[in-house]
Amino acid sequence: MKKSEIRFSIALDDQKVPEAISWQATDAGPDIHFAKAINIALWDRDQSGTMKIDLWTKDMPVEEMKYFCVDTIGSMAESLLTATNDTVMAQKMRDLCKELMEHIEEEQKKG
């Protein structure tokens, strides 16, 4: 059986706020990659529930965070469709993404 590992490293300031997020994966080569935000969701088989880690660095702009959240929902829609073939639920998630993008665009016009 092949194993693959993903490692995250979080540098924190004195108040334990993330200053830097880096990651490496055995299948992504030896390079260290950097991120401004991560969102990890796991389905715990013993608790039958979701466990989450949401972190973002001090330099993550609010606008980019909004795009990150919309992108995450869109990716979840594709995962849901692949895993369950539930086209209705996937489309509702895509529709939400479209609505949220319209909201972001309206905010940008005002700003």
Side-chain angles (χ1 to χ4, degrees):
M1 174 191 322
K2 181 181 187 243
K3 283 190 172 185
S4 183
E5 290 186 12
I6 302 170
R7 291 188 182 105
F8 292 96
S9 180
I10 314 300
L12 304 172
D13 68 9
D14 293 339
Q15 284 83 40
K16 298 184 180 178
V17 175
E19 289 187 325
I21 300 169
S22 61
W23 64 276
Q24 282 183 291
T26 53
D27 289 346
D31 294 341
I32 296 173
H33 305 274
F34 293 90
K36 289 183 183 179
I38 61 173
N39 176 310
I40 302 168
L42 306 165
W43 184 260
D44 185 281
R45 68 178 177 184
D46 295 330
Q47 299 291 323
S48 292
T50 303
M51 301 183 83
K52 290 183 72 233
I53 299 171
D54 292 311
L55 297 171
W56 54 93
T57 59
K58 295 177 186 181
D59 66 338
M60 178 68 165
V62 170
E63 187 171 300
E64 286 183 24
M65 187 62 164
K66 291 179 181 184
Y67 285 120
F68 176 61
C69 289
V70 173
D71 286 348
T72 301
I73 295 167
S75 294
M76 290 171 59
E78 295 310 307
S79 295
L80 179 77
L81 184 60
T82 300
T84 67
N85 204 32
D86 187 334
T87 57
V88 173
M89 194 167 171
Q91 188 57 51
K92 287 180 185 253
M93 293 170 78
R94 287 186 198 114
D95 291 344
L96 174 60
C97 288
K98 183 179 177 196
E99 185 178 332
L100 292 171
M101 285 304 297
E102 289 169 0
H103 167 71
I104 292 170
E105 290 167 3
E106 283 297 315
E107 279 189 331
Q108 287 176 344
K109 287 178 187 175
K110 291 177 187 175

